[in-house]
């Protein structure tokens, strides 16, 4: 299984704009992350029986999302409907980064 929780490269512009330095990536195997998340969910369910409210910090679903690369192509939309993005991809990431930077200042 080649999935791992090390997909932060795509957010580099956002992190840089917010003055957040990214630590070196430590690759965590997907199966390990899912197992830890599954244990947290199981623990939360058991603790509810003794009236202890425990929310897992990571669910199995979140672990699976964190270890799955999502890439999409607009080729079909362009061919079928003549769609094209109004803002190029790199420019859109720049605007996203600036938006996060403004939000971080408000915190």
């Amino acid at each position: 299984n080649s999935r791992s929780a090390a997909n932060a490269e795509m957010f580099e512009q956002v992190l840089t704009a917010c003055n957040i330095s990214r630590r070196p990536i430590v690759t965590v195997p997907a199966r390990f992350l899912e197992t830890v998340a599954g244990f947290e969910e199981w623990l939360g369910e058991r603790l509810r029986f003794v009236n202890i409210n425990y929310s897992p910090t990571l669910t199995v679903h979140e672990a699976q999302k964190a270890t799955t690369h999502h890439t999409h192509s607009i080729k079909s939309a362009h061919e079928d409907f003549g769609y094209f993005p109004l803002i190029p991809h790199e420019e859109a990431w720049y605007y996203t980064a600036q938006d996060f930077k403004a939000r971080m200042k408000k915190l």
Side-chain angles (χ1 to χ4, degrees):
N1 190 345
S2 63
R3 294 183 310 135
S4 65
N7 303 332
E9 295 86 4
M10 62 186 278
F11 298 107
E12 193 67 43
Q13 289 184 33
V14 174
L15 296 173
T16 301
C18 296
N19 293 322
I20 299 172
S21 61
R22 184 166 55 108
R23 294 185 177 144
I25 292 176
V26 176
T27 302
V28 178
R31 192 72 195 129
F32 174 76
L33 198 60
E34 292 167 6
T35 301
V36 170
F39 173 75
E40 282 200 59
E41 288 181 347
W42 175 86
L43 181 62
E45 290 172 11
R46 298 305 176 269
L47 290 175
R48 272 187 234 121
F49 288 120
V50 291
N51 293 327
I52 297 175
N53 188 15
Y54 173 78
S55 295
T57 55
L58 185 69
T59 66
V60 173
H61 180 70
E62 291 167 334
Q64 290 169 342
K65 287 192 313 186
T67 58
T68 302
H69 286 278
H70 298 280
T71 56
H72 305 280
S73 171
I74 63 165
K75 181 179 177 183
S76 294
H78 178 71
E79 291 173 355
D80 296 344
F81 307 110
Y83 170 81
F84 64 93
L86 297 176
I87 300 172
H89 180 76
E90 289 300 319
E91 188 177 345
W93 268 112
Y94 171 79
Y95 290 130
T96 301
Q98 296 309 307
D99 179 63
F100 271 89
K101 182 179 179 179
R103 291 179 194 205
M104 293 292 287
K105 286 182 179 178
K106 291 180 182 180
L107 294 180

